[in-house]
Amino acid sequence: MTKIPHTHHLLHGEKVAYGILVQLVLENKFEELEQLLPFYQSVRLPSTLADIGLTINQQAEVLQIAQFAVQPGEDIYLLFPNITVDEVLKAMTKLESLTTNYVK
């Protein structure tokens, strides 16, 4: 996310927080995701693309985030050795559908 101008206003920890949610989707850990969302809301951590300054309709920017995440040498390969851009995009889209209308 650091290379996308729309997210430059975010603190590093806010970007990490959003990434953790994407990771939970990739790991199919939806129970943990649901447990974290109330905390994220209480401390105003980003859980949607809108929270980080994007929308799902900004496909070029969302694609860039996914592409940067899977560049050779990135840490994502420590958890997901065979991850693809498409898998990251699908996880971000799934997260968006799970969190956009989330109300505790």
Side-chain angles (χ1 to χ4, degrees):
M1 269 188 274
T2 58
K3 298 181 184 195
I4 306 299
H6 289 83
T7 67
H8 286 180
H9 68 284
L10 297 172
L11 298 173
H12 174 77
E14 292 172 314
K15 294 173 186 179
V16 170
Y18 180 81
I20 288 170
L21 297 181
V22 174
Q23 176 183 331
L24 289 174
V25 173
L26 286 167
E27 294 175 325
N28 295 310
K29 293 184 176 179
F30 300 107
E31 186 175 312
E32 288 89 341
L33 178 75
E34 287 184 29
Q35 291 174 355
L36 274 180
L37 288 176
F39 173 73
Y40 271 50
Q41 286 184 339
S42 72
V43 295
R44 295 187 175 99
L45 288 173
S47 60
T48 67
L49 288 171
D51 292 342
I52 63 171
L54 294 169
T55 69
I56 200 70
N57 295 325
Q58 289 175 290
Q59 294 176 350
E61 290 84 356
V62 175
L63 176 61
Q64 274 188 306
I65 291 170
Q67 289 172 329
F68 286 131
V70 299
Q71 286 183 338
E74 288 296 324
D75 290 340
I76 196 168
Y77 292 107
L78 297 172
L79 294 171
F80 310 102
N82 300 310
I83 193 83
T84 66
V85 171
D86 189 52
E87 290 170 314
V88 174
L89 283 173
K90 285 179 182 175
M92 291 174 73
T93 302
K94 175 85 172 176
L95 177 62
E96 193 69 8
S97 69
L98 294 170
T99 58
T100 298
N101 298 314
Y102 176 81
V103 178
K104 177 70 177 157

